[in-house]
Amino acid sequence: CGDVHGQYDDVIRMFETCGWPCDTNYLFLGDYVDRGACGLETITMLLAYKLLHPHTFFLLRGNHECAGINRIYGFYDECKRFYSVKLWKAFTNVFRSLPVAAVISERIFACHGGLSPELRSVEQIAALQRPAEVRDAGLACDLLWADPAHGLAGWGPNIDRGVSFCFGADVVEAFLKQHDLDLVVRAHQVVEAGYDFFAGRRLVTLFTAPNYCNEFNNAGAVMSVDDEMTCAFQILPARAVACPGRRYPLARLATPKQRPTAPPPPTGCTPAHGDLDKAAPPPPLQLTPATAHAKAPSRRSPRPQGPPGAFLGRGSSPAPSPPPAHLRPSTPPPRRLAR
């Protein structure tokens, strides 16, 4: 399978068409996230299938399984919006451990991007250390970024992408002859029919996301290989309408801890300040002709009221009221001075 780019509906449609992972072996060539609306659902489902079927379900690394790419093209924002940046970092650590190439039955070489001028033997790929970051040049970079180019002989700069190389049909033929292989399978480029041959059918490009970004009218394709190494293609036709955005609530995929709810307060009791968000809102103010100009009650504490004529400025308090009569100090009667 080629790029799926977070198009969860189309991955489900592919499984329904080609067989579910419990009955079919799968090799994905990378680019599971970014661009599409459901990258989290897509990569979570694929990793779950990898755990369920570790010996028949395989995931290669694509150029979008790099932090510097999915930080820009949507996956980072998706993780941050629905969960946290910590989750994005956890996925990044998983992506750094994915393999970058595979060999099928010692006859088919598979990778996401293309060939590399530094690739002398397949054992070089097995010697690459993981987990690892993909640099701007080198063997791992070319396996994730290189592109075939019609009319090119040998190697040339990849001007469209600004990284890695382009290679011609002669490079493909020399690589297959040197390593006794029959076919190179790669992804990385959207093609109208879902698959496209190069170098006299010695290389094929797969793209499994139909209606890519809801901007192209391309089909998706999956290449199947039987026990006799006969290759066939199953097509996912382009949809007549655009794929909807996220419609799978993430709460169904995760099981967050339920916050314990406090018992309801007795009737007539005022909820505590910590439960104000659970209290029912007060009934709306009914405006009648008599109260049409009435103001809503203020939540501020009432200003202190003093006796008439008392000045209550900012920070002042009302004059104290006289104490009760029984608490007033008794004053002796005035003395009469004897003459």
Side-chain angles (χ1 to χ4, degrees):
C1 304
D3 301 25
V4 294
H5 278 297
Q7 297 184 196
Y8 182 84
D9 290 335
D10 294 314
V11 176
I12 296 297
R13 184 158 64 111
M14 179 199 68
F15 285 148
E16 293 174 346
T17 303
C18 304
W20 292 92
C22 55
D23 303 319
T24 308
N25 299 351
Y26 276 97
L27 171 64
F28 285 80
L29 302 180
D31 279 10
Y32 315 109
V33 298
D34 287 341
R35 307 287 192 180
C38 299
L40 273 171
E41 290 87 345
T42 302
I43 186 59
T44 302
M45 177 180 64
L46 296 180
L47 290 176
Y49 276 128
K50 176 60 180 176
L51 294 176
L52 288 173
H53 311 286
H55 303 295
T56 58
F57 196 90
F58 302 96
L59 301 173
L60 297 185
R61 187 177 187 178
N63 63 308
H64 281 263
E65 280 69 62
C66 299
I69 300 300
N70 59 50
R71 175 67 175 81
I72 302 173
Y73 289 98
F75 187 60
Y76 171 85
D77 295 327
E78 190 176 354
C79 292
K80 183 179 179 181
R81 176 184 177 187
F82 292 100
Y83 285 96
S84 64
V85 176
K86 184 178 180 180
L87 179 67
W88 173 75
K89 293 181 179 179
F91 274 114
T92 299
N93 291 333
V94 175
F95 295 156
R96 294 172 69 242
S97 299
L98 293 177
V100 295
V103 177
I104 305 172
S105 299
E106 299 182 354
R107 307 308 305 165
I108 300 176
F109 179 81
C111 64
H112 178 75
L115 304 178
S116 172
E118 299 183 12
L119 183 58
R120 300 288 183 264
S121 65
V122 180
E123 287 73 17
Q124 287 180 260
I125 302 176
L128 292 174
Q129 294 184 355
R130 292 182 288 159
E133 296 289 348
V134 178
R135 301 183 178 181
D136 295 338
L139 176 58
C141 175
D142 298 333
L143 292 173
L144 270 59
W145 284 95
D147 292 311
H150 293 276
L152 176 65
W155 300 93
N158 197 330
I159 300 177
D160 293 338
R161 300 189 186 274
V163 65
S164 189
F165 300 94
C166 290
F167 54 91
D170 56 334
V171 174
V172 177
E173 296 175 1
F175 173 80
L176 295 176
K177 183 178 180 180
Q178 177 184 358
H179 301 285
D180 193 22
L181 297 170
D182 296 332
L183 181 68
V184 175
V185 180
R186 45 94 63 175
H188 196 42
Q189 286 179 304
V190 56
V191 288
E192 184 177 1
Y195 70 97
D196 184 59
F197 284 108
F198 178 76
R201 297 198 170 205
R202 307 300 299 274
L203 181 147
V204 61
T205 297
L206 288 177
F207 200 82
T208 314
N211 298 89
Y212 179 48
C213 296
N214 285 333
E215 298 178 1
F216 296 84
N217 196 31
N218 65 289
V222 177
M223 188 179 80
S224 59
V225 183
D226 61 13
D227 296 336
E228 299 179 355
M229 300 303 295
T230 302
C231 300
F233 297 90
Q234 297 182 350
I235 306 300
L236 301 177
R239 298 178 302 271
V241 295
C243 180
R246 178 183 297 277
R247 57 179 184 176
Y248 301 96
L250 295 180
R252 296 183 183 178
L253 300 179
T255 55
K257 295 181 179 180
Q258 299 292 334
R259 189 176 70 172
T261 56
T267 305
C269 295
T270 304
H273 291 289
D275 296 329
L276 287 179
D277 56 339
K278 304 176 186 177
L285 179 65
Q286 299 293 334
L287 297 180
T288 59
T291 62
H293 299 284
K295 296 182 180 180
S298 174
R299 294 186 179 181
R300 295 182 178 179
S301 58
R303 295 187 61 184
Q305 300 293 330
F311 173 74
L312 296 178
R314 186 183 301 273
S316 62
S317 58
S321 57
H326 66 279
L327 295 180
R328 296 177 187 175
S330 59
T331 55
R335 280 187 183 183
R336 290 188 177 183
L337 298 177
R339 294 185 179 178

